[in-house]
Amino acid sequence: MTSDLLTDTAAGLAARMAAREVSAREVVDAHLDRIEATDGDGTSDTDVHAFLTVVADTARRHADDVDQRRVTGRDLGPLAGVPLALKDLFTMRGAPTTVGSRILEGWVPPYDATVTEKLRAADVIVLGKTNMDEFAMGSSTENSAYGPTRNPWDLGRVPGGSSGGSAAAVAALQAPLSLGTDTGGSIRQPAALCGLVGSKPTYGAVSRYGMVAFASSLDQAGPFARSVTDAALLQSVIQGHDPRDSTSIDPVRVGRDLPDLLADLDAGVEGLTIGVVTELQGEGYEPGVLAAFEDSLRRFEALGATVVEASIPHASYGLPAYYLVAPSEASSNLARFDGVRYGLRVDAPTAEEMNAATRGAGFGPEVRRRIMIGTHALSSGYYDAFYNQASRVRRLIANDFATAFEQVDVLVSPTSPSVAFPLGDKTDDPLAMYLNDVATVPASLAGVPAVSVPNGRGAEGLPTGLQVMGPLLGDDRCFRVARALEADLGLDPVPSGANAVAPA
Amino acid sequence: MVTTVKEGWELVVGLEVHVELVTTTKMWCGCLTHFGEEPNTNICPVCTGQPGSLPVVNGAAVRAAALIGLAINCSVNETSQFHRKNYFYPDLVKNYQISQYDVPICSEGHLELEVEGSPVTVGIERLHMEEDTGKSTHLGGSGRLHGADTSLIDYNRAGVPLMEVVSHPDIHDAETAQAYVRELQGIVETLGVSDARMDQGSMRVDANVSVRRPGEPLGIRTEIKNLNSVRSLGRAIAYEAQRQIEVLEDGGEIVMQTRHWDESTGRTETLRVKETVTDYRYFPDPDLVPVHCPADWVDEIRAELPELPAAARARLTDAGVDEAQAAALVGTSGMLAAFDEAVATGADPRTVANWLVGDVAGQLSTAEVDFADSGITGAHVGQLVALVDDGTLSNNLAKQVVEHLVADRGSRSPAVVAQEEGLQQVSDTDELQAIVDRVVADNPDTVATIRDGNTKAIGALVGQVMKETRGQADPRATNELLRAAITP
Amino acid sequence: MRRPSRRRVSEMALSEAEVRHVARLARLDLSDDDVAELAPQLSQILEYAEQVGEVAADDVEPMVHPFPVTNVMRDDHPAASLPRDEVLSQAPDAREDRFAVPRIVAEDA
């Protein structure tokens, strides 16, 4: 019974709770037990260490409340009672938010993120806050100040990042759903490495209010799930216009509703044109990754789609542009962590020295690197060559996407050039780590939606992901294509293998 | 005559004026902009820079900025953008200030001023929107920044909308600088968008001052801060110009620096030397989208512009009010409206101007009360003039009525004051005749002198009558009755 | 995928002095070891990033916002503020209902 609760989908659990076959409290307890059994505190190499904070009491109270309201016949949302793991950069009143950093250690935010409010309104039950690369800067979750998270498929490997905790929690059956954030691939890449579905919505579809900012013009929150339907359900809950976020898409202003992610989810790919991005494959991608990707392309064709070559001519400039734009914005966004209003303070005789000492001690190496890069890229004499030029490249890439979508319905590529790599493999080489994002940053820069869906196994039997990119507000199309592949592949999302997390 | 700097030198001044807007809420959040409240009570995630919070532009502030821009003859740019100005300071919650950079909301305008009777035009480079910072209090070091060991910060003011108006370096004497600031004050007050109080910091003026030999390129400038009044501005510019000239004439060099005006010593002092231009790393704020001001919207705003000070002054002088009084009426908060209200009751414009700028302003000044807070209305002044016109009040009595209006903040109308304080003129002939008869009878010597041809001596008898009536006798009637009684 | 050779010295390379300058701007305390480690790392990253100069002529409008909208504004209506004590409770040092910091040396901008 318990193991069945853990492996079921969110949609399945919700249906069983609606039918009163199982209570929300039982579902929540089963997952809290699973966390207890598998998560640890990161000190053992069998600890998944997906969570930084578990709010067991709050979760149980919320579950009881959902059960009570269900008894009284209240109309509850489609995900009511379903547990969820929340990346530790969404503010949630009453629980610490660390963003994986020492500099925010002990901070209890005085307000809720819009996403947190939406989850509560939908009666989705937050189990806790998940581990991440500090300030979402990283692709392996090894940059967390609180120790790395391990990949449930192979505990000696990274789960990807920066939302590695959220990905690992769902892969390890600690929660059926989780939320991450994606700035240059931080949902899609860990989804690929953990054998999950992960979605980065159209920029502006989900409010950023209450998400601790990394790079404001790129950050988007999105779901992880073990099925496409679950991911689409969760994204439906969190998307929507928020007047507190000026960049949130207002359907009235845009003259267009946010997409209905569920209506055509099972419509299949027959008749669709799928463009394979020439620039996002080949050299640098592992053979196993490419083999799995090509197998999926054949499946799309077999399912009735037209698969064509497509080009994002400036895609190869995506990574350098990204590694200028994102650090530039970050250098400014992270200036507020100065030891004055919240978080860490390292004492010093003057305010200026206190600021510098606090920031020097509170930020880890990767965050410092990016603050330095960004500060330099915006500084006098370098702005034009770096920040501004990168913003121009960004325009070219967005134009490339717009042009491509005149010919094709969606674009596809491998999500990540490799399967999950061993812990410590790339920590000494920042640039090698950045190259993990090569396939994901173009969509981030253009603001277009992209979904990573499991795509067969690569090296060592580890998961790989296929990325489906759509035009702005074409999130529904991405899910639909992902769903068709998922159904055709019929992969088991539960980790297996010699070094996998213990079975449920 | 304007104050000139030493012969052979030219003064060059540019002004940066910050105006705090009186919107209900802050620039980016719904916190109130109220002043004088308990520290840190008007704060929220946005204006304390909590991680994850985001700014949303206050539309009323944009509207106010466009209004000011049009009033100072700027063009409103069709598209403008907010930028981040990055620098660290504890009163700046995000350690960047959201401001505008290469595309401000308004560009290139001018103000036409009258300085000592001559027309002067000062060019305006730009008007941009930004946010105010928190307020620091310093512990130790007798409350000053230097020597303090701890500073305490109140973020109530953080995020209050600010407009910055930057002039061209078109100003060549202290009086023009003062006239420019007064004009700007008058404009924002007329528009109702700011209190524009330099003493309270709702208007802050920084002066960039340099000197040069005429015809030479611009000299190195210093920036003067801490100017708390228009008077300080004038004094500081004059002092700084003289200081720079002395340095240069002694063979020294001017160092680019920020200087602090010390009102008590009447000197500017070095605050800090700018070794290099601060690198603010401006870049477009990705949290805020561009502001679009289409032409039809700008026209709509333009149509809402009220009568501006320059136009009001012209209207008053056309109505016969003299220039100095017109300037005072327009330049004193609330006075122009009172003038118009009084004139609307039928009173003569010149007479109304005389009362307002003369006795009313004079007595308020003695009592240290602003006209705007005085409770004295245009209706009061209109009635006062009417009471003088119909002979109920003499000029002297009317002045006494003004004293009462000032003392009790206009809580009673002039008619009520006159009645309750017994200030009406005695022009009842029977009553006055009896008093005149008694005075004539009581002063036989004076009467004899007058009858001997010393007609001026009648003044003494008028004085006696006034004394008996406690000043309320109608002077003209008294004169007539006395003459009749004395004439043999 | 391209990546630059690690040995190539680009004009975009950062000296240790430049690293210290940037750290001052960013208000980051760095040890000498940090600086020594960062200088080549940052140089390598910047050298890689420098590629953006190879494309996009000046006439390409830089893109700041992925989803183009303008004039997102609020009405001037008050919203609830936060309880002061809750906000101050997060401050490393608060006194007299204010946020406390040690002596400020520099003047503000």
Side-chain angles (χ1 to χ4, degrees), chain B residues 127-159:
Chain B
L127 175 151
H128 70 248
M129 300 181 267
E130 58 185 34
E131 57 178 327
D132 212 340
T133 61
K135 254 184 173 157
S136 310
T137 317
H138 308 295
L139 295 186
S142 47
R144 292 188 53 178
L145 183 60
H146 292 290
D149 51 54
T150 302
S151 294
L152 301 180
I153 309 159
D154 167 16
Y155 290 119
N156 279 349
R157 200 182 65 179

Side-chain angles (χ1 to χ4, degrees), chain B residues 181-198:
Chain B
V181 169
R182 272 196 217 99
E183 189 72 3
L184 210 49
Q185 258 175 341
I187 288 171
V188 295
E189 249 181 62
T190 304
L191 297 175
V193 295
S194 174
D195 299 332
R197 297 279 298 258
M198 282 180 80

Side-chain angles (χ1 to χ4, degrees), chain A residues 125-150:
Chain A
I125 295 168
V126 175
L127 298 176
K129 310 290 291 293
T130 58
N131 200 8
M132 56 184 287
D133 284 304
E134 185 179 4
F135 282 98
M137 297 177 187
S139 309
S140 69
T141 315
E142 292 164 291
N143 293 336
S144 168
Y146 304 96
T149 296
R150 290 165 182 276

Side-chain angles (χ1 to χ4, degrees), chain B residues 23-32 38-43 45 56-60 87-89 137 145-146 148-153 155 272 280-281 284-286 288-292, chain C residues 21 24-27 64-65 67-85 87-88 90 93-109:
Chain B
T23 48
T24 306
T25 66
K26 293 186 179 181
M27 188 72 198
W28 319 116
C29 64
C31 286
L32 295 172
E38 284 288 297
N40 292 309
T41 47
N42 292 329
I43 57 170
V56 183
V57 177
N58 183 344
Y87 69 95
F88 282 84
Y89 206 78
T137 317
L145 183 60
H146 292 290
D149 51 54
T150 302
S151 294
L152 301 180
I153 309 159
Y155 290 119
R272 68 169 182 280
Y280 290 122
R281 288 162 284 131
D285 191 331
L288 291 163
V289 301
V291 175
H292 182 63
Chain C
H21 168 72
R24 257 196 309 279
L25 280 179
R27 207 160 273 188
V64 178
H65 297 99
F67 204 100
V69 285
T70 59
N71 282 358
V72 178
M73 296 184 200
R74 276 180 317 106
D75 290 335
D76 190 18
H77 297 319
S81 293
L82 285 174
R84 173 168 68 193
D85 292 345
V87 182
L88 287 172
Q90 295 301 311
D93 188 6
R95 300 179 216 171
E96 299 174 26
D97 300 326
R98 294 168 174 90
F99 296 83
V101 294
R103 184 161 63 90
I104 301 171
V105 176
E107 303 290 338
D108 72 26

Side-chain angles (χ1 to χ4, degrees), chain A residues 93 253 345 351 389 395 429, chain C residues 6 55-56 70 86 100 103:
Chain A
R93 222 169 172 147
R253 189 177 287 274
R345 169 181 292 189
Q389 190 63 19
R395 170 84 58 195
D429 187 349
Chain C
R6 287 188 184 201
V55 283
T70 59
E86 187 178 357
R103 184 161 63 90

Side-chain angles (χ1 to χ4, degrees), chain A residues 62-433:
Chain A
H62 192 180
D64 288 342
D65 178 53
V66 168
D67 287 333
Q68 201 145 30
R69 277 182 290 141
R70 204 184 301 276
V71 168
T72 59
R74 297 279 182 79
D75 196 16
L76 301 175
L79 289 176
V82 176
L84 172 140
L86 190 60
K87 188 176 184 180
D88 201 23
L89 63 53
F90 294 94
T91 62
M92 188 167 85
R93 222 169 172 147
T97 296
T98 68
V99 203
S101 182
R102 288 279 171 224
I103 210 157
L104 269 182
E105 198 166 6
W107 181 52
V108 181
Y111 76 108
D112 278 333
T114 298
V115 161
T116 308
E117 284 179 353
K118 282 181 180 284
L119 291 174
R120 188 169 300 129
D123 283 315
V124 175
I125 295 168
V126 175
L127 298 176
K129 310 290 291 293
T130 58
N131 200 8
M132 56 184 287
D133 284 304
E134 185 179 4
F135 282 98
M137 297 177 187
S139 309
S140 69
T141 315
E142 292 164 291
N143 293 336
S144 168
Y146 304 96
T149 296
R150 290 165 182 276
N151 191 319
W153 287 80
D154 179 343
L155 294 171
R157 291 173 186 264
V158 303
S162 67
S163 311
S166 285
V170 175
L173 311 179
Q174 296 170 338
L177 295 173
S178 67
L179 280 180
T181 60
D182 189 311
T183 305
S186 283
I187 291 173
R188 289 163 285 164
Q189 183 254 15
L193 270 47
C194 291
L196 301 172
V197 180
S199 165
K200 181 201 90 74
T202 297
Y203 180 84
V206 179
S207 170
R208 294 184 296 115
Y209 190 77
M211 269 169 56
V212 179
F214 162 15
S216 312
S217 76
L218 296 156
D219 296 343
Q220 254 316 270
F224 286 99
R226 294 189 299 267
S227 84
V228 173
T229 305
D230 281 4
L233 277 166
L234 180 54
Q235 190 165 317
S236 303
V237 164
I238 61 168
Q239 74 177 12
H241 176 240
D242 180 7
R244 290 177 296 191
D245 175 358
S246 307
T247 61
S248 151
I249 295 169
D250 179 356
V252 176
R253 189 177 287 274
V254 174
R256 198 172 152 191
D257 280 335
L258 289 177
D260 180 335
L261 306 177
L262 302 166
D264 294 328
L265 189 59
D266 291 304
V269 292
E270 194 173 349
L272 294 184
T273 304
I274 296 175
V276 183
V277 183
T278 314
E279 293 82 4
L280 301 180
Q281 51 182 316
E283 192 205 337
Y285 291 77
E286 288 179 0
V289 167
L290 291 175
F293 178 64
E294 272 148 29
D295 175 62
S296 292
L297 298 181
R298 282 190 292 274
R299 288 172 183 270
F300 283 130
E301 278 184 321
L303 291 168
T306 308
V307 176
V308 299
E309 284 285 315
S311 179
I312 300 295
H314 298 94
S316 63
Y317 293 96
L319 206 54
Y322 174 83
Y323 276 97
L324 289 169
V325 170
S328 294
E329 294 184 12
S331 70
S332 176
N333 283 333
L334 270 58
R336 69 188 63 195
F337 302 101
D338 62 358
V340 176
R341 289 159 297 277
Y342 35 72
L344 182 74
R345 169 181 292 189
V346 174
D347 285 320
T350 69
E352 293 76 8
E353 291 164 311
M354 181 276 285
N355 293 156
T358 300
R359 292 165 61 76
F363 292 134
E366 181 59 25
V367 174
R368 291 197 301 202
R369 259 193 300 274
R370 298 212 197 174
I371 289 174
M372 294 289 288
I373 291 285
T375 303
H376 182 66
L378 291 175
S379 68
S380 164
Y382 296 96
Y383 180 89
D384 280 324
F386 286 139
Y387 174 79
N388 214 30
Q389 190 63 19
S391 300
R392 288 198 177 100
V393 169
R394 193 173 180 185
R395 170 84 58 195
L396 295 179
I397 290 173
N399 291 346
D400 287 350
F401 272 100
T403 306
F405 286 124
E406 287 169 11
Q407 311 293 326
V408 302
D409 294 300
V410 293
L411 292 165
V412 296
S413 76
T415 306
S416 165
S418 72
V419 295
F421 44 91
L423 284 154
D425 227 25
K426 302 186 181 180
T427 40
D428 293 335
D429 187 349
L431 202 48
M433 192 66 96

